[in-house]
Amino acid sequence: MTTGDTGWSPDRHSTQQLQTPPSGYKVEPWQLAWHGLAVDQLQRTESTFALSNGHLGMRGTLEEGEPRGLPGTYLNGFYETQPLPYAEAGYGYPEDGQTVCNVTDGKIIRLLVEDEPLDMRYGTAPEHVRTLDFRSGTLRRRTVWVSPTGRRIRLTTERLVSFTQRAIAAIRYVVEPLDGRLQLVAQSDLLTNEPIESRTKDPRVAADLGSVLRPDFATGSEQRALLAHHTHKSGLHMAAAMDHIFDTPDGMDTRLLVEDDLARVTAAAEVPEGGRLSITKFLAYGWSSTRSVPALRAQVDAALTGVVQTGWDRLAADQRAYLDAFWETADVEIEGDPELQQAVRFALFHVLQAGARGETRAIPAKGLTGPGYDGHAFWDTETFVLPVLTYTQPEAVRDALRWRHATIEPAKQRAGLLGQRGAAFPWRSINGAECSAYWPAGTAAFHVSADVADAVARYLAATGDIDFERSCGAELLVQTARLWCSLGHHDEHGGFRIDGVTGPDEYSAIADNNVYTNLMAQQNLREAAAVCDRQPDVAERLGVDAEEHKTWLEAAEAMLLPFDTMLGVHPQASGFTVHDRWDFEGTSSDHYPLFLHYPYFDLYRKQVVKQADLVLAMHLRGDAFTAQEKARNFAYYEPLTVRDSSLSACSQAVIAAEVGHLDLAFDYFAEAALTDLHDLHNNVRNGLHIASLAGAWSVAVAGFGGMRDHGGRLTFAPRLPPALSRIAFRMCFRGNRFSVDIGGEAATYQLLAGEPFDIAHHGDALSVGSQPVTRPIPSIEPGERPRQPARREPARRRSAQR
Amino acid sequence: MTTGDTGWSPDRHSTQQLQTPPSGYKVEPWQLAWHGLAVDQLQRTESTFALSNGHLGMRGTLEEGEPRGLPGTYLNGFYETQPLPYAEAGYGYPEDGQTVCNVTDGKIIRLLVEDEPLDMRYGTAPEHVRTLDFRSGTLRRRTVWVSPTGRRIRLTTERLVSFTQRAIAAIRYVVEPLDGRLQLVAQSDLLTNEPIESRTKDPRVAADLGSVLRPDFATGSEQRALLAHHTHKSGLHMAAAMDHIFDTPDGMDTRLLVEDDLARVTAAAEVPEGGRLSITKFLAYGWSSTRSVPALRAQVDAALTGVVQTGWDRLAADQRAYLDAFWETADVEIEGDPELQQAVRFALFHVLQAGARGETRAIPAKGLTGPGYDGHAFWDTETFVLPVLTYTQPEAVRDALRWRHATIEPAKQRAGLLGQRGAAFPWRSINGAECSAYWPAGTAAFHVSADVADAVARYLAATGDIDFERSCGAELLVQTARLWCSLGHHDEHGGFRIDGVTGPDEYSAIADNNVYTNLMAQQNLREAAAVCDRQPDVAERLGVDAEEHKTWLEAAEAMLLPFDTMLGVHPQASGFTVHDRWDFEGTSSDHYPLFLHYPYFDLYRKQVVKQADLVLAMHLRGDAFTAQEKARNFAYYEPLTVRDSSLSACSQAVIAAEVGHLDLAFDYFAEAALTDLHDLHNNVRNGLHIASLAGAWSVAVAGFGGMRDHGGRLTFAPRLPPALSRIAFRMCFRGNRFSVDIGGEAATYQLLAGEPFDIAHHGDALSVGSQPVTRPIPSIEPGERPRQPARREPARRRSAQR
C-alpha cells in the first residue's frame, strides 16, 4: 500500500494536540488531498473523490458509510424509467423519463473498535486525510481516530475502480491499534436500496425514485457473496459480488449474512499494538438488459474470481501503468499557478474516468460521479468532452460515438415522429430515447445532432479510423445531414434557413437561423458529402444518390448567416440584436442563475446569454469568421453573457485568448478549471461538471495553445497569459504523440513518437518531427478589455496563486 | 305545461309501428328538437340541451339518470384545485390548477313502472322527443315508453334554470299510464359525487378529479332535503336543496332518505289510465368561499321556500317574459336558410344562458354546459362573447368585466412575478389565478389583457356607464396599459416593439411584434389615456401622472407594425412571411387538428395558422388597415389558415364579407353557427363552444351587417350573401333599441325605443330615428375567391338548406 506520497504528513505525536486539522484541499501537482472531516462538505468531496472507469462509478463516501452526503454507486447505462408528467401534454412529448440508479453499494466496511462504531462525528480525529492520486488512480485515506472512550486506531485505506478490469473495484483496508490490544470487528457489506434523503425544486437535480431495485436472488459462502436485482419498469438486471482476503496476526472469526438487499461478511479479531487487521475487498459488478440472471451471475462471479487471482498489488500496478500511459499522451503542465496545474490534472483525470471504459455507453454530463441531471448524457459529451479525448484517449471517443451509433434507430424514429428525415439525437438520454420534457430547450435544440457529426468528423480526421468510418461514422454523418435538409428550407432568395430552433444559449429559444446551429449544420452537410465521396459503397448502402449529395452541398453553400450591418456583428439568431437588453444593472447577484428567478418568456425575448453560443460558434467554426468579426462579436457578446451554465467560461476563454484578451482568458481559465474544486455553481454535490473539466483542457490547448482542427488540419497560435510562465501539453494525432511547449516569447513543437506531420504555427506551416522546432510568438493588441454584465465579471486571477 | 308547439307530433297510434323514429335535430325557427334516443349521441344533446342562467348550469341528461353520456351540474366559480405537474418546472409556472366541479345533481327523477325501472335502453319508445325552446327557456321531453313486459306510459317533462331567480331550477314531471292502472314509484334525488368514466389524452378535456365533494351535513323532512358539501383543497362550500309538489288522483305514499351524498324522496302511487302522477321538483343551489355552512344552508333554504311560493306557473311565465325582452333587443332573422335561422337563435340563447346571471363570475369557454377546458374562462369571453352581449344584454357585460376587475389583484401579482408592471390577466382561470401549465401558449399570450381592455372600452362606449367607468373600467384600462409599457420597449429607431409574445394564432408562439397584439395594445394605451382625461380624479387615485400618460401615447404612436414590402402584406408577427409554408398538400384530412398529430416546434416555425390572428386584427382594429391592405392580407392568410380552432371561422367570415367574398363568408357563417349542432370539432360532448356561438351573431351583424364600433362609433356596411334574401337584427346602443333590416339591394335602419342617434351606412352618416331610413347597398368586386389549405376549405353552402 502506498501512503508515503501524501504531501502533508504530520508527525504522529504532534497531531495529538491538533484536534481539528485545517479543512480543505491542499495544492499539489499530482493529487488532490482534503484534510479534516467537514461533514457539511462531504457531498462536495464525495463528487471530487469519485472513482470511475466509465463503466462503474463510486462516489467518494467514507468506507463506514456515515457520515455521508449522498451515497452513490452507478453502472453506466443502468437506469429506471418513470412517467414524465404533463399538465398540458403535446404531440411528440416523451412519455417516459430515465433516471440513473444508485445500485448496490459495495464500498461499505463498518468497524467496531471495542464495541464503539467508527463514526467520525464522534470521538476525535487528530489526523484525517483523503487523497485522490492522479497517477495511481486510487483514493487513499489515512485517519487516526480516538473513540469517545479513548481507544486510538489508525485506519488506512486505498481503493480503486479498475481501468484494466472494467467490472472491478477493490479496497485495501488496514486498521492498526495505537494504544494496546483491541478487539476489532469489521463488517463488509453489499447494500442495496440505501435510503437517500433529498428534496429540491432545482430542475438540474435527479428525480427521486425511492427503492427501485427488486431482488432476484442473493447467495454467498465463506467470505464471498452476490446480490442480483432488477429494475421494475426498465427491466434491467444487475448483480454485484464481493470477496475478501483478511490478514491478522492472531487469526479471526468470520461470519456471512445474506439477505435480499444485504450481504455482509463480519470479521472479528483481537489485534495487538503494532499489529494490524488488513482486509482486501474485491468487488465485481455487471448488468444487462438481455442476459438471464444465471448468465449475469456467472459473469460477475467470473470477474470476481479473476481479480482475486490478479490480487491487489498487480491490480494497483496495472492501474498505475494505465495512467502512466495516459499522462504520457495527455499531460498538461502549467507553470506559474500551482492550483491551476492541480486543477487541470484533476480535470483530465476525471474526463478519463468518465470516458475510459464506457464502451458503447454514453458519457453522462456528470460522468458516474453523481446523480445530477438524472445521469443523462447531453451535447456536452460531443462538444466539450470528446475533443479532449480525441487527442488524448481516442479509443474512448470511438466507444462513445459507437454509443451514438447504437442509438441511431431511436434517433431516426424520433426524427420521423417529429416529421423530419434522418436522425434526431435526443437532448438528454441514457438509452437513446428522448427524455427532455421541455421541448423549447430540448427537442428544439437540434444542434445536438450536428454536434455528434462534428465529433465524428474530428475523430475521423484525428485518427484515420477507417473501420469506424465505414461501420458507424458514415451513417452518423449521413443521417444527421438528412435531418438538416429536412429541418431547413431554401427561401425565396435561395438562402437556406433553419427556423424555430434553439441554439446552445438556453436564454434564447425557438429562433430562426441560430448562427451556431447553421454553421454546425453546414459543416455536417459537407462532412456527410465528403464521407460519401470517400466511401462510395457505404454511401450506396445508406441510399445516398448523386441528387441527395448535391442537395447537401447546395444547402451548405446557401446556408444563411444573419449579420447586423448596423452593429457590424452577427446576431446569434435572426433578430437577436434588435431585442431589448436584459436589465443587468437591476439584477442583484443573488438572482443568478437567472432561470431560477425570472420566467423564460422574459429571458428568451431579451439580449441576455446564458452560455457561449455565437462565441462557441467562433471556436468550433472559427474558419467561418474573419479575425475582425471575431473581435467585434466577442466584444458585443461579453457584456451580455452571464455564464449561468458551466459550459460557458471555457468557450469564452478560448475566444478571449484568440482575440488577444489574455488576462480575461486566464480569469475564465481559472473559472472553468476550478468550477468543481471551488464549487462555483454550488451543486457539485450532484456530481462533477465533466464538460467544464474538459473545458479546462480546451482553454490550455485551444485557448493559450490556439489549437484548431478546422478541416481536419491541426494548427496552433499559442500565446501565454502574463500570469503564467509556461504551458506545455501533449497530444496525439493520427497515432503520433507530440508536445507543444509554450513560453512567453516562443513555442516549441516536438514529436515524441510516430511519424512527422504538418501543422501551422500562427499561420506558418511547419513539420513536427523528433527534433524540437521553436517559433516566436507574435504580439497582439486586443484593445480594451471587454466588460461583463454587472456583478458577473469573472474573479480576477491576476497573479500566480500560492 | 306547453307541449303543443313541438313541430313534429306524430299520431299516437301510428307510432306504435314505428319502433325507432328518425333520430336527429329538426329544423324549426324557435326551438331545437331531437327525435329518438340515439344513446351514442347523448353526450352531444346533453350539451346542446344544457340549461343555465350563468350562475347554475345543468347538462341535458335524462331525468332518470341513465343512459347518459356525461352528467354535469355546475355552479359558476365553484372549483377544486389540483397540483399542476411538471417534469421540468420553471420559474413562474403556476403550481395549482383549477377544475370546475360536477356538483350535486338535482335533476334526477327515477321511475319504476310496476317494478320495471324506466330505462330507454330497454323496452321500446315509439315516441321520444326532447325540445329546447328558445322563447320559453325550458327543456321539454315527451316520451312514450313500452316496458320490456309491455307496460305503456307517457312521460312528459319540462325543466328550467331560472333567469329570474338565479339560485333556482325546477322540473315538471308527469307520468300517464296508457294501458290501464299502473303502480308508479318515482324516486327524486339529490346525488353528490356521481362516478364519471372518462379517459382521454386530449388536452382540451377537463382533468378527472374523482369524488371531490366532502360532506358537511345532510338534512331533510317530508319532501324536502338539503345536502351541504365542500371541496377539500379549494375550501369552497356549497349546498343543494330540493322540495316537491306531488299530484295524483288517488293519493300516494312518500318516503325520505338522507345520506351524506344522497337525498331521496320516493313517492309510490297507483295511477289509473287517464290519470297522471305529477311531480313538480324545485331545486335551490348556493355556494360560497367565505360564508359559514349554516349561513349557506339558510340562503339555500330561503331560495327554495321562495320558489315554492312562486310556483311553477309563475316561474315559467317569468322565464318567458325575461326571454321575450331579450329577443326584443337581440333577435336576428335570417331568411333563405331555415337551419341557419335556427342556429343563430340557438347561439344567442346559449350566449345569454352563459352570461345572463354570472354576476361577478367569469363566463367560461364552455359556459356551464360541460367540463371542457376545466371550466376555465379565456380571452374568448372578452373578444367573442362580450361584443354580442354589449349590444344585446349589456348588464351581463358589466358583470363579466366586474369579475375581471375583482381579479385585478392576482393579475397585478402575476405581472409582478413575471417582472412586469400593471396587471397580467391569466390565460385560463376560474378564480383569477393563472392555471395555464404551458407558457408559450399561456403566459406569453399577453394579448388577453388588451382583450379585456377592448371589452371595457366597447362597453363604456356602448352604454356610457359612468359608474362602471369610475369604479372598474378606468382601473382595468390603466393597469393593462401599464403592462404594455413594461412589456414593450422603444428600439434604437424609436419604434415601440413588443417581443417574444404569442398572438391569437396558437400555431405560432413567442414571436416579435405580433400585429394583433401590438394593435390591441396600442388601442389599450390610448383608451387608458382617454379614460384618465375623462376621469382625472380616478386617474390620480390610480397614481397616473402626466409623465405616465405621455409615455402611453408615445408608445401607442410609435407602435411597430411589421410589413412585408415585397409581398405587400402584414406578417402576423415579425418574420412570419419568410418562414416555410406548411406542407398542406402532404397533410391528410385525418391529421387535423394538427396539434394532435404534429409537434409544436414544427407548427410554430412554419406558415400555418390555427385561427384568425392578423385577420382578427383586421376586424377589431379595422381602423388600422386600408381597404386594399385588408383585401391583400385576407387573400394571403386564407391559404394558410386551417381553422383548427372554433374561434376562426367567424372572424374569417367577417373579413370575407368586408372584402366582398360573400359566398365564402356565408360558408364560414354556416361553419361558425353549426359548430355545435353539427359537432364539427367532434368534442361538443365536453360542452358548447360559447365563443363560436357568439361568432355566429358576429357574422350576421359585423359580417353581413358590416357593423363596426371603432372609436365607440357605430357604423354599418351591410351586404347579403347571394343565398340569403334578408337578414334583420336588433341591437341596443346607449340605451336605444334599433333594428337593421338588410335586403339584397338596400338596408333599412329604424329606432325601436329611445332617442335618435348617428351611425354610418357604407361610410355615409345617417341618423337612426323612429322613421325607417333605407339606403342602397353598393356593389363590390372582390376578385377571385381565395383558396384555403388543401382539404380545409369550408363546406360549400351555396343554396338555402331544406
Side-chain angles (χ1 to χ4, degrees), chain A residues 346-367:
Chain A
F346 170 82
L348 274 166
F349 180 76
H350 272 294
V351 168
L352 177 71
Q353 286 207 129
R357 302 295 306 271
E359 297 176 21
T360 324
R361 295 290 161 196
I363 299 178
K366 302 288 184 188

Side-chain angles (χ1 to χ4, degrees), chain B residues 77 110 626:
Chain B
R110 306 180 203 270
T626 66

Side-chain angles (χ1 to χ4, degrees), chain A residues 103-105 189-194 213-220 225-230 238-240 257-264:
Chain A
V103 301
T104 302
D105 188 351
D189 289 358
L190 289 177
L191 174 61
T192 312
N193 290 320
E194 290 161 286
L213 292 175
R214 309 204 169 182
D216 285 327
F217 75 88
T219 182
L226 184 146
L227 301 183
H229 287 81
H230 69 275
M238 66 146 300
L257 167 81
V258 179
E259 298 174 353
D260 278 352
D261 282 358
L262 174 68
R264 171 171 292 165

Side-chain angles (χ1 to χ4, degrees), chain A residues 668-719:
Chain A
Y668 283 140
F669 182 33
E671 183 171 310
L674 298 171
T675 291
D676 288 322
L677 291 175
H678 289 191
D679 197 8
L680 295 177
H681 289 265
N682 193 31
N683 60 3
V684 73
R685 61 186 172 276
N686 299 315
L688 302 180
H689 299 80
I690 301 297
S692 181
L693 294 173
W697 178 91
S698 293
V699 183
V701 174
F704 300 124
M707 187 275 283
R708 295 291 183 277
D709 51 15
H710 304 310
R713 205 169 72 96
L714 275 195
T715 61
F716 295 85
R719 268 193 191 100

